[in-house]
Amino acid sequence: MNKNLDIKIKSMRQGGKILGRIKKQLAEFTKPGISFEQIEEEAQRLIKESGMKPSFSTVPGYDWATCVMKNEGVCHGIPKNQIVEDGDVISIDVGLINNSFHLDTSITFSVGKVNKEVNDFLASGQKSLKKAISAAKLGNSVYDISRAMEKPLKRKGYGVVYQLTGHGVGEELHMDPSIPCIPSKSDKNIKLYEGQTVAIENMYAMGNATLEEDPDGWTYKTIDGSVSAMFEETVLITKNGPEILTK
């Protein structure tokens, strides 16, 4: 392993471990009555306490450490002007930088009482991400990841987002390759390699997964208002199989 790659992997393992913990802490912090601003403040506090830096605020025009969404909000949600209510489905996307390397992760969870349909919906997303990560093996392709991701969601009849994708991550927050939630045959040519780091994320909806951009210029929502979710981990490709850095 060359020296630069060794530094990258050590930095991302360290940062990923901390980010995984922060993600869990933010989910536990989120209760009915909490504002999106409070979630953002808590994320800023936890990242600063870790000695690391927020990643998302390095994106031109975006000033926050998190993206927070509820119910029909799928991604890129500005963490402001909303309150968490009992029965909401909340998604938190958060990233940090350790030693100049970016890590990215997200989680969706219910707050308070929800019905079995919502619980099944979220469990299917977790299964989908697990299958997608399992396919992130040396020599496999982006197509293999997308196919494994889509299958459990389609089987349940959920809509799978086609307008946005997962991505490479490391020296920058968003890098090649794009990793779609829906398989594309052309992606069979994009092979995974040892030492590669990717943000594998599924985005899906109970209904129509077609998205529209909110007037805020950032938030993407389902066009029919159906509940949505996203699960994401930063993953390292190794000769021994995929390693989840943000677990």
Side-chain angles (χ1 to χ4, degrees), residues 174-189:
H174 296 113
M175 302 172 66
D176 289 335
S178 294
I179 304 176
C181 303
I182 290 175
S184 169
K185 286 184 180 178
S186 61
D187 287 340
K188 288 182 176 182
N189 300 319

Side-chain angles (χ1 to χ4, degrees), residues 201-217:
E201 58 185 300
N202 61 9
M203 292 167 277
Y204 65 109
M206 277 190 171
N208 189 338
T210 301
L211 308 181
E212 58 184 356
E213 192 178 69
D214 193 77
D216 67 18

Side-chain angles (χ1 to χ4, degrees), residues 116-125 128 150-161 182 203-209 226-227:
K116 184 179 182 296
E117 186 184 15
V118 170
N119 287 327
D120 289 348
F121 174 70
L122 297 177
S124 295
S128 160
E150 181 196 48
K151 221 172 177 182
L153 300 175
K154 281 285 189 185
R155 194 180 292 130
K156 290 284 189 176
Y158 301 131
V160 184
V161 168
I182 290 175
M203 292 167 277
Y204 65 109
M206 277 190 171
N208 189 338
S226 62
V227 171

